[in-house]
Structures are given as C-alpha cells and as structure tokens.
Amino acid sequence: MTELMTPGSLLALFVAVPLLCAGLSVILRQRVVDRILLVGVPVLAIAGAVALMLFHREVPVLASAIGAYEGGIAIPLVSDTLTALMLATTGLATAASGWFLTLTGEARLRFVPALALLLMTGVNGALLTGDLFNLFVFVEVMLLPSYALIAVTGTWRRLGLGRMFVIVNLVTSLILLMGVGLVYGSAGAVNLAVLAGRAAEDPQVALALTVVLLALAIKAGVVPVHGWLPRAYPGTSAGMMALFSALHTKVALYAIFRIYFTTFEPGSPSGAAGAGMASAVAGVIAVVVLATMVVGAIGSLGEQRFRGVLAFQMVAGVGHILIGVAVTSPAAVAAGLFYLVHHVVTMASLLTTVGAVEHTYGTGVLGRISGVMHRDRLAAVLVALGLLSLAGLPPTSGLWGKLGLGLAVAEAGETGPAGAWQTPVFLVAIVVSSVVTLVALQRLWGSSFAGAPLHRYWPAAPEGGRAKAQTLEGEVRIPLRLLAPGTMMMGVSIALFLFAGLLMPFIDTATAGLFETGPYIEAVLP
Amino acid sequence: MLVLAVTVGVLTAAGVWLLQQRSMVRAIFGLTLISHAVNLLLLTTGVPGWRVEPLMSTAQAADAADPLPQAFVLTAIVISMATTIFMLALAVIGRDDDQEKVPETGEEHA
C-alpha cells in the first residue's frame, strides 16, 4: 500500500497515464499495442477510480497542488466521491466504446487510438481540476482530438458536420474563456475553493459565473442551445458517438453541478446581497431544464435514423439529470446523479448494439431495415432492454432513475424556484417526457426490429464505404463479438437495477460533498 | 478603459457578423476576431494601464502588472492558433462538399 503514502500526488496519474500512452501509441504503431492501450487504459482508470471511491469513505476530499505552490496560487487537482464516481463511469463507457472501435476495425485507422486516449486525458483532467481556467484548458484538450475523431469515420456528411462541430465548440470555448476572464476580473480568483459561496454574496461574480454556466450548458446540449448535438452525433460512426456521448456532455454536466453548487450554494438559506441574482439564475435554470426534458423527447419522434432518435434522447436525458440543479434538494441531486450514471451506461449499450446492426446491414435509417428481431435474437433483446431503460421501465436501471427523480421532486415541495408550482410542473414534465419517449421508441422498434423479414442490405465494400443494395442471404448475421460491448453494458444496467443499494451510499456521499463545501475548501486551501 | 471596452465590442460584433457567412474561411476570420476580443477582455481583468514587468527581482509588487491575465492570454493564444490551423485545413479539404460533391462511397443521401 505504498500508493496511499502520498495519495494526493497520485491524482495526476489519471491525466498523465492516458497522455503518455497516447504518445506511445503514435510511436510504436503496432496494432496489438494499440488495442491493448485503447481498452486497457480505461480499465486501469476504472480500477483507480473505484479505489479512489473506497478511499474517499475515510478521507472525503483529496487535493494536490501541482508544482507544490501555496494553496490559492497553485493549480489544484481535487477529487471527492463525485469526481471518483464520474471517473469510474466515464472510464467504463470509454472502455466499452474502445472495445467496440477495435471490433469494427475503426481502431486500425491511423491515430484513432492515440486520439481517443488524448480525449480521455482531457476528460479526466476536466473532472479533476479545481481551477476554472484549467477547466478551460482541459476542455480544449478534450475537444482537439474530438475535432479529428468526428471526421474520421461515419457517413459522407461527416466533413460538413465536423466543420459545424468545430465552429460551435470553438465559439462555446470562447464564451467559457470570456466567463473565466470576467470571473477573474470580478472576484480576483479562478480557484473554485476561493470562489466558494462568492456568487451568493456578490451579484457581479454571480453574473460572471452565469457566462461560464452558459458555455457549459451549450456543451451539455441544454435546450435552447442543443441544436448542434442531434445534428453532429448521428453523422459520425456509432463507436465514436458512444465515446462522445459518454464523455463530452457528461463532463459539462459534472462541471455545472460542481460550479453551481460550490459558488451559488443554493442549499443554504442566504439573505446576502447576491440573493436576487441567484434566484433569477435558479428561475432560468428551472425553465431551461423543463424545456430540455420535453423538447428532447418530442424531437426524437421526428428523427429518421436510429442514432438520430438516440441523440434526441440524450438531450432529454440531460434535462432529467439537471433536475438536480433545478430542484436543489439533496434527494433531487442524488436522483440526478444516479440518472447520470444510468444514462451513460444505457446509452453506451444502445449505441454499440445499434452500431453493430448498422455495421452489419449497412444502414441506420428507420424503415429501410425491418424484422431484425427474427434474424438476430440477442441484438433485439439488447435493444429492447435498452429502450425499456430509456423509458424508465424494469428490469433496468432506468426504473430507479425515473422513480428517484419523481419521488425527489414530489418530496421537495415548495422550496424550489417555482414555489408552489414546482412539484406539479416538474412531475407533469417527467411524465410527458416519458410517454413521448415511449411512443418514439416504439416507433423505432416497430419499424426496424419488428415487422417483415429483411430482404435487402448494404454490405461493407472492401475499398471502404458501402456497396449497392444487395439481396440478403440467409447466413448474414450480426457477428456475436460485435454485440459483446453492448451486452456488457446492458449487464451493468441490469446490475444497477438489482444492486442499486450498493451504489446509493456513494451517490449520497457525493451529494453531501456538493452541499457541504467545507471539506473541499479545507483540502484545497490548507 | 473606454477605448478597450469599445474595441472588445467592435471586434466581437465584426466576428459574429463574419461567422454568419456561408464561407468557411470567413467563419475562421470571424472566430479569430472573437478570440482577439476575448484576449483583450482577459488583459483588462488585470490593471489596464501600463505597469512594470512582473519580475520580482527588478520591480516592486505595488508597481508590477498582474501576471496571471498575461499567462491566461498566452495560453489562449496558443490554443486558438492550433484550432485556427486545423480549421484552415478543414476549409481546404472540404471545399463545396456540402453543396455540390456527390459521395463516392455509394451511400445514399439519407
């Protein structure tokens, strides 16, 4: 147990190991090494994150000042239970996506493993950092490989979509940078521990922080600024989409939770000068969250492709997760965090399974393939379970996700920004979103998985891309190995349904860490 | 102080206008202008007047400029330069492909 002797400095390994392995992958250029790194590094990260979660049962917050400068001047890497939970969840989804990329052969493309590892570097850094400017830098580290990855594989539209993705994300990054600058100008610091509670005291700091929150909302795909997500993601390949959906939006969501709860301290009653500003911000958040839930669900009704439907479901999921930020009771935050874990797992399972269907039959357009249920039983079962999970039905983690949110909203009563209206409005939004989601998913299932047997398909052409439609022969089936990552993630989802009790203590600790900022500040500023 | 604020505003407005154009190269120019605006904004968060270089061996802390915004701007310039080069490459590769080019891979428009 020598690692625990200097626990704080080990946090940097979450950033350093993927970064060095990315370099290793570029230098060695061996397929075997690439495959081992692409799956092995995320697995290592999961192991490290689980160890960290167990460690946090005794030491709630672990901080390490990079370069051993004084607290407040140094750039800190900070980890608490929430951080460790996010590291484990994103690591799990990265491992599944990486596995799927090696199975479809996309990992053979030059630099793909290195870029995926760089993406992971940025994600881990953004989760660990306790400094707003450093957050901007790690978000850029995360985005630069994504710009390349989104254009590597997928349909021929990906180049145009890649340009759109770059421009949207670059503008967002500039807004984030602007917000960080304004925070520094108004508060004189960009260290989260120093900024703790400042937004509740000073309207100027609160205004500057809303610029930061706006940028993060764009990155998360919150409704009035969600348009880029359902357009960009279905254009890239399923494996890449699984990777992106687990990482990009979820990192932004984590940052929203962390920054909002640390700086605005919405849980504590305050009569401070910034209270008016803070309650205005809370009102805007409530409206936006409601819109995100409903618009995401309705949008998925109108999509023509598997992954278009799933992309809008991601938007709806973002709305559900952010209920924790809108209804700021501990129960709602815990339910939102559980929903986040559930959503990452379910989406990774669905995207890799649907990706296997697309990879085999050459199209992801609804109605162009049908009757997959009769040919590939396992794929059909996995997709059915995934859709049930999205709708919030057993035997999957979705049930506890939706139920937890509903109960938390019902319990929270009149304390939230919308006052007496809050409980009915949020409950109606959850129900409407779920029913519309069910209709949209039923349409996906009915047009493609049930129905007449398939008779045409578009086999992969040797020179890359897709050949002309061909008559489907009897022996063409989805290879079972392609379904393995989806099966694994669905197993995790069902395990979350059966053994949710094992995870809940960690989620409760993570929630408590958001409300009680004392230990966080003490660890960063000793 | 006002001069700086107006400059930031004009740069941002021009950048947003350029960003609305269809051409990728114009959009890149627009983004460059906005990033200049943000860099100026970051610099104003230190003391905007001219101050002594923040080298503690030669200057007093009271006279020196705040080094942190300068470090921010330096980092931001490096990042925006990298992304600008990448976007210029995208502009060269994908010229007109969203309007005229037909896919060569046999995929259908769907």
Side-chain angles (χ1 to χ4, degrees), chain A residues 24-258:
Chain A
L24 205 62
S25 156
V26 172
I27 296 167
L28 290 178
R29 297 179 59 184
Q30 299 287 320
R31 266 179 204 164
V32 186
V33 178
D34 278 353
R35 285 180 177 197
I36 293 171
L37 290 179
L38 190 54
V39 180
V41 174
V43 169
L44 269 183
I46 299 170
V50 170
L52 204 55
M53 272 163 78
L54 296 175
F55 178 70
H56 282 314
R57 290 201 294 200
E58 277 135 45
V59 184
V61 184
L62 190 60
S64 144
I66 298 297
Y69 287 95
E70 285 174 46
I73 297 175
I75 294 172
L77 292 183
V78 197
S79 160
D80 64 0
T81 310
L82 178 58
T83 317
L85 186 70
M86 287 299 296
L87 283 171
T89 313
T90 54
L92 186 63
T94 313
S97 317
W99 189 9
F100 186 72
L101 288 175
T102 59
L103 292 173
T104 57
E106 284 164 73
R108 283 189 208 162
L109 298 166
R110 185 95 200 269
F111 296 134
V112 164
L115 288 170
L117 289 172
L118 265 183
L119 175 58
M120 202 185 150
T121 309
V123 168
N124 287 355
L127 291 175
L128 282 168
T129 188
D131 180 284
L132 287 183
F133 190 79
N134 201 227
L135 174 72
F136 160 76
V137 173
F138 273 121
V139 166
E140 285 300 310
V141 171
M142 197 169 94
L143 285 172
L144 278 169
S146 315
Y147 297 154
L149 283 175
I150 201 168
V152 172
T153 54
T155 64
W156 62 273
R157 290 164 145 208
R158 66 183 186 267
L159 280 180
L161 290 172
R163 286 198 295 271
M164 186 269 290
F165 183 77
V166 173
I167 290 177
V168 168
N169 275 295
L170 207 54
V171 171
T172 316
S173 296
L174 288 173
I175 295 175
L176 180 61
L177 188 57
M178 213 181 279
V180 173
L182 292 172
V183 169
Y184 186 74
S186 58
V190 287
N191 190 318
L192 259 183
V194 180
L195 288 171
R198 291 290 298 275
E201 294 160 11
D202 186 350
Q204 217 179 0
V205 180
L207 201 57
L209 279 163
T210 51
V211 178
V212 174
L213 289 177
L214 168 70
L216 292 169
I218 301 176
K219 286 195 193 293
V222 172
V223 145
V225 283
H226 70 293
W228 64 274
L229 192 154
R231 286 190 63 201
Y233 280 11
T236 185
S237 75
M240 293 301 173
M241 184 172 166
L243 193 63
F244 284 11
S245 73
L247 302 181
H248 282 253
T249 49
K250 303 307 178 284
V251 166
L253 286 172
Y254 165 81
I256 290 176
F257 268 96
R258 175 66 77 202

Side-chain angles (χ1 to χ4, degrees), chain A residues 140 157 163 178 181 184 466, chain B residues 41-42 45 66 94 97 105:
Chain A
E140 285 300 310
R157 290 164 145 208
R163 286 198 295 271
M178 213 181 279
Y184 186 74
R466 294 289 165 191
Chain B
L41 183 87
L42 281 177
T45 62
D66 185 351
D97 65 349
T105 55

Side-chain angles (χ1 to χ4, degrees), chain A residues 262-274:
Chain A
T262 310
T263 58
F264 282 84
E265 289 186 338
S268 60
S270 87

Side-chain angles (χ1 to χ4, degrees), chain A residues 248-317:
Chain A
H248 282 253
T249 49
K250 303 307 178 284
V251 166
L253 286 172
Y254 165 81
I256 290 176
F257 268 96
R258 175 66 77 202
I259 293 172
Y260 185 69
F261 279 93
T262 310
T263 58
F264 282 84
E265 289 186 338
S268 60
S270 87
M277 185 72 207
S279 73
V281 173
V284 171
I285 290 176
V287 172
V288 155
V289 165
L290 287 168
T292 309
M293 278 195 286
V294 177
V295 171
I298 294 175
S300 59
L301 269 179
E303 279 294 319
Q304 294 305 318
R305 286 181 288 175
F306 288 158
R307 288 190 282 124
V309 175
L310 294 182
F312 265 109
Q313 281 301 318
M314 280 176 58
V315 174

